[in-house]
Amino acid sequence: MRFTVTVLLALAPLAALAQTVPAPVPASEVFTREEIGHALAAPTPQAGRTMPSAANAPEDDGQWTMPSKNYASTRFSALTELTPRTVKGLQPLFSFSLGVNKGQEAAPIVADNTMFIVTAYPNYVYALDLTRPGAPLKWKFAPKPLPASQGVACCDVVNRGGSVSNGKYIFNTLDGQTIALDVRTGKPVWRTQLGNINTGESITMAPLVAQGRVYVGNSGGELGVRGWIAALEESSGKLLWKAYNTGPDKEVLIGPAFKPAYATDRGTDLGVKSWPPQAWKIGGGNVWGWITYDAELDAIYHGTGNPGPWNAEQRPGDNKWTAGIFARDPASGAARWYYQFSPHDEHDYDGINEQILLDMPFAGTMHKVLIHFDRNGYIYIIERGTGKVLSADPFGPVNSSKGVDIATGELIRNPAKQTRLGQVVSDICPTASGSKDWNPSSFSPQTGLVYIPHENICMDWMNMQVNYIAGTPYVGANVHMKPGPGGHRGELTAWDPVRRGPVWVDKENFPIWSGTVVTAGDLVFYGTMDGWFKAVNARTGELLWKAKVDSGIVSQPISYRGPDGHQYIAVLSGVGGWSGAVVSGPVDPRDGSAALGMVNAMSDLPKYTTAGGTLYVFTLPH
Amino acid sequence: MLALGGCNKGPAADLPASQIGSQAVIDSALIPGLTRSAVSSDPRVAQYYDNADAVNTGKRLFGQYNCSGCHSNGGGGMGPSLMDDEWIYGGRLEQIHQTLVEGRPNGMPAWGGKVPDQQLWQLSAYVRSMSLPATLAAQNGATPSQTPAPVPREADDHAGWSPPPGTTNDYTTLTTGP
């Protein structure tokens, strides 16, 4: 066999190439925070204390009924048994195999002394009885989503969790259903089919339940799926309204009540006009991240995903209403304001990350704001009533833009990092998955800090012409990711939103793809992709405790009060998601462009962890 | 534009993986180690062996039909890696061709009747080439499968064919710790 000889000779460099992480981007390639951070006014911390309102963050009852803990989305637990002193004794109490070895991104939910978990595809739901030793199974529900839905899940077959409300556990399936189960029996109360996998549509987000409505959005920004958000009646599953994020105003639910803060968002049918003809129909803008309900202003806020295809040269225009954030009327869906984080996005900067609702001092008075940590690298503080940006500061390395013009709200693009057909543009920061992806931050009213789990990754990008074929990827980019300055790929940043800067930063070898939870004992819990579950001091970042679990962690830890009155910490292991697909998916570390270029920065992960999927519950011995 | 799942023949026919009238009947040899496949080969396959044109055309089509969107440059993503030596549905050219024609249940669209059959063979040849030692050896940088070697006939000679020992950087066999 002729080819054998050549192969043997070429082996050595190849083997090295397979699992070597590329060199980090030099620090000189990115802007400093001071260079590109902007605010409408200087910090005025003396004007008041940063807190969520009581309406959005009622007193902690020790349960954890929704992934975000409360409407304000603080993910703050008022329990105090665990402190920097006692946490050293924290021990695993029980574990439970989820029977699915894919990326587990969900938060365990605790209500009425029962724990509910939804797994990655095939989206099993487990209810565990916390009142009995070992938390035995009460019931398991298998929704049996269509197997073909696995082929339209862009970034592993994940699910970000469910919520308990009025005796129902409500969650979504990968093949586009929203299902409400009776918490006592596990039997479906209703099932509503919302998505259609034949167009590439799937659902991976955690539904938001508030005021008798269930809010759901679709995934599919990598398959030319037109993004929408829908509201269902909580009692029946009946569709109440559906708003698209591209297209004519009447389908976006833009009407007389729409009062965006900036001139660029005013006009008729911008969701059509800011695209080439018909392109809005396959233009993305999906709602696969977090929807937030504001009980004070009776509004919902939700980000919109990246425009499709990734190749921006195929869609000249601002591509509204993608890569931005909407405020909508919860009852009708009517849009109130919108702000676009990344007009004509060229780098896959979805706007779907969480928002935390706070009252915060700014320019000498208290303001009702939301804090949003965008993929494009900026922390936005936005006035909830108007959609006006008060400040925008980078929290990781950025060079794809040169800051936000705080007068016009406009992202100032960096022409040097604009993406081009057939040309590799190198060292773009942040990477496609952003300075931070979907995994949520937490806020402590005690420290006044937000705890941001995020990434330090950059990328090389080449645009390629792509055809639209329904149900297949509509991407058109060859991407290779690499570590950002410093070479560490993850960071946990404690950020002071009032003073607009980091208080401390903990570095991680791998990107942090788990959420954080912060407790009244001043502890921050998070997991790492190489399988460590950690507790750090919320005031200093000092590592206080860690435990090794069976697989990397990409989920959302919680803290709850057990039936015995003690504090418990729960988390799912199971590496996966976009960043972990090189372990959980059948993805090959030799192809740097695999998993949309993520593999290039993550090819060594198989050396550190294997696929898994287990619930772990920790407590102090008592 | 090409609509893969757009037809309206009831829910089952609507799936991306819906089976549309299969062509030649081909089955894999179920007993590993047979020197010859238990069933006769599809006669159409012959011209795609040792055919440099076929793999190069297949490479172009792999991008045009968005295969690369799901399988990247062979390393996978939404779909499995095609450059390793593991085949769920068989790695002989005719088996790969059948996979493309019929689609597969866990999310592989069916392309039969939507893409000319000759192109499906060319795509199959390119897919088979990805894990050939010669193609793997030619990889230069982090993007594999850019210079695909023609598929030698012996690669398909029996179901259990695998590359000669020591000729791939087969990370699936041995992973060393950090």
Side-chain angles (χ1 to χ4, degrees), chain B residues 32-123:
Chain B
L34 281 185
T35 49
R36 289 238 137 239
S37 164
V39 291
S40 60
S41 273
D42 188 317
R44 291 171 298 177
V45 71
Q47 57 180 296
Y48 299 98
Y49 294 124
D50 300 308
N51 183 336
D53 261 8
V55 290
N56 286 319
T57 308
K59 173 172 176 275
R60 181 169 50 75
L61 298 171
F62 197 79
Q64 270 172 16
Y65 290 124
N66 295 352
C67 313
S68 53
C70 285
H71 297 285
S72 307
N73 288 291
M78 296 178 223
S81 165
L82 303 173
M83 60 187 286
D84 59 20
D85 56 2
E86 292 168 19
W87 295 98
I88 313 170
Y89 300 106
R92 299 203 316 269
L93 275 194
E94 58 203 37
Q95 292 171 314
I96 297 172
H97 177 261
Q98 198 173 10
T99 290
L100 303 194
V101 169
E102 294 181 347
R104 293 299 178 214
N106 297 316
M108 168 66 185
W111 301 85
K114 288 153 184 157
V115 167
D117 194 55
Q118 189 197 6
Q119 295 190 346
L120 292 179
W121 283 106
Q122 289 161 334
L123 282 161

Side-chain angles (χ1 to χ4, degrees), chain A residues 1-8 10-11 14-19 121 146-156 196-200 222-223 278 282 464-475 478 480 581-582 585-597 599-600 604 606-608, chain B residues 1-6 11 14-17 50 63-85 104-109 111 132-144 152 154 161 164-172 174-178:
Chain A
M1 286 189 211
R2 198 166 9 94
F3 48 79
T4 315
V5 182
T6 31
V7 168
L8 282 171
L11 257 183
L14 253 181
L17 188 135
Q19 295 188 314
Y121 173 93
L146 295 168
S149 60
Q150 295 168 93
V152 293
C154 81
C155 314
D156 199 4
N196 172 9
I197 62 166
N198 291 305
T199 63
E222 280 57 57
L223 293 97
Q278 312 298 323
I282 50 174
M464 299 190 306
Q465 185 68 29
V466 59
N467 304 315
Y468 177 75
I469 304 175
T472 75
Y474 189 49
V475 173
N478 205 2
H480 288 88
V582 66
V587 175
D588 198 309
R590 290 171 293 188
D591 183 354
S593 68
L596 300 161
V599 165
N600 205 50
D604 60 336
K607 294 172 173 289
Y608 291 80
Chain B
M1 276 194 204
L2 183 75
L4 265 191
D14 248 350
L15 304 182
D50 300 308
Q64 270 172 16
Y65 290 124
N66 295 352
C67 313
S68 53
C70 285
H71 297 285
S72 307
N73 288 291
M78 296 178 223
S81 165
L82 303 173
M83 60 187 286
D84 59 20
D85 56 2
R104 293 299 178 214
N106 297 316
M108 168 66 185
W111 301 85
L132 291 175
T135 305
L136 293 172
Q139 178 174 346
N140 177 17
T143 309
E154 59 268 31
W161 190 89
T167 56
T168 69
N169 60 330
D170 176 10
Y171 84 100
T172 57
L174 180 67
T175 303
T176 49

Side-chain angles (χ1 to χ4, degrees), chain A residues 42-63:
Chain A
T44 52
Q46 67 289 351
R49 199 162 145 221
T50 307
M51 292 276 284
S53 73
N56 286 329
E59 206 178 318
D60 192 350
D61 63 0
Q63 307 198 98

Side-chain angles (χ1 to χ4, degrees), chain A residues 269-326:
Chain A
D269 291 333
L270 297 183
V272 172
K273 291 176 188 158
S274 61
W275 294 87
Q278 312 298 323
W280 55 270
K281 292 181 178 165
I282 50 174
N286 304 83
V287 183
W288 60 271
W290 301 102
I291 305 173
T292 312
Y293 174 71
D294 183 346
E296 268 183 289
L297 303 186
D298 191 39
I300 56 166
Y301 311 101
H302 68 88
T304 58
N306 63 280
W310 282 16
N311 178 355
E313 290 168 290
Q314 282 181 237
R315 46 171 171 78
D318 273 356
N319 309 135
K320 293 193 191 309
W321 307 90
T322 65
I325 180 171
F326 270 111

